[in-house]
Amino acid sequence: MSMIRRATAADREHLLGVWLRSVRATHAFLGEQDVQDLLPVVRDVVLAGEALELWVLEFEAGTPAAFMGLDGAALEALFVDPSHFRKGAGKQLLAHARALKGPLTVDVNEQNPQGLAFYLQSGFVRAGRSERDSAGRPFPILHLREAA
């Protein structure tokens, strides 16, 4: 049985671990220095819970398996611990986000084929492309949206 709940400050370190393991498993285009450069932003901004509405999915109480961050109807983060890949965690979080916000938008790294396939299989369509990520780095971003 799974449960989705709002993240708390006590979740921060657990969620950072989920993020690290997920990124290392799915973002092969990032070098370790890229991951280390992103870590303070994820820890101090994304997981601070002030910029995004954070939700946690647990299969076992007290053990986050995945999390997502929403900014309105924009899905700004969705990370699943690799030990829970292909167990429905991402789909459950998407369903929860849709129930809260309606049709969603999401950006995905073009070089993350697993993430892109997940979103396309989940009903998203391509709406645009940027050559660089939001920090100006040369990692192309695909902009996806759901039909209203």
Side-chain angles (χ1 to χ4, degrees):
M1 185 77 184
S2 63
M3 177 182 80
I4 297 174
R5 61 172 176 77
R6 286 296 295 260
T8 67
D11 293 316
R12 208 160 152 190
E13 287 303 312
H14 289 288
L15 299 184
L16 187 61
V18 169
W19 177 82
L20 274 170
R21 290 185 294 277
S22 182
V23 164
R24 287 182 173 141
T26 60
H27 291 61
F29 61 94
L30 293 176
E32 186 57 29
Q33 189 58 54
D34 295 315
V35 173
Q36 292 304 314
D37 290 345
L38 288 168
L39 193 140
V41 174
V42 173
R43 181 189 60 226
D44 302 334
V45 178
V46 174
L47 297 178
E50 296 171 18
L52 298 177
E53 182 180 327
L54 294 174
W55 293 89
V56 176
L57 180 135
E58 296 178 339
F59 289 114
E60 296 176 32
T63 307
F67 72 93
M68 71 175 168
L70 299 169
D71 182 5
L75 180 62
E76 296 291 343
L78 193 156
F79 293 95
V80 178
D81 192 288
S83 65
H84 294 286
F85 281 0
R86 294 173 186 75
K87 294 182 181 177
K91 289 181 182 182
Q92 288 181 53
L93 285 170
L94 274 182
H96 188 75
R98 288 174 178 135
L100 293 171
K101 309 294 181 181
L104 304 169
T105 62
V106 67
D107 289 345
V108 64
N109 289 96
E110 187 175 63
Q111 297 159 298
N112 177 358
Q114 289 174 285
L116 178 59
F118 168 76
Y119 290 118
L120 294 176
Q121 290 170 1
S122 297
F124 287 83
V125 296
R126 295 178 194 199
R129 181 181 185 276
S130 299
E131 276 295 317
R132 297 183 171 273
D133 68 11
S134 61
R137 294 172 303 175
F139 301 124
I141 299 294
L142 295 174
H143 310 290
L144 309 177
R145 65 168 175 76
E146 293 183 302

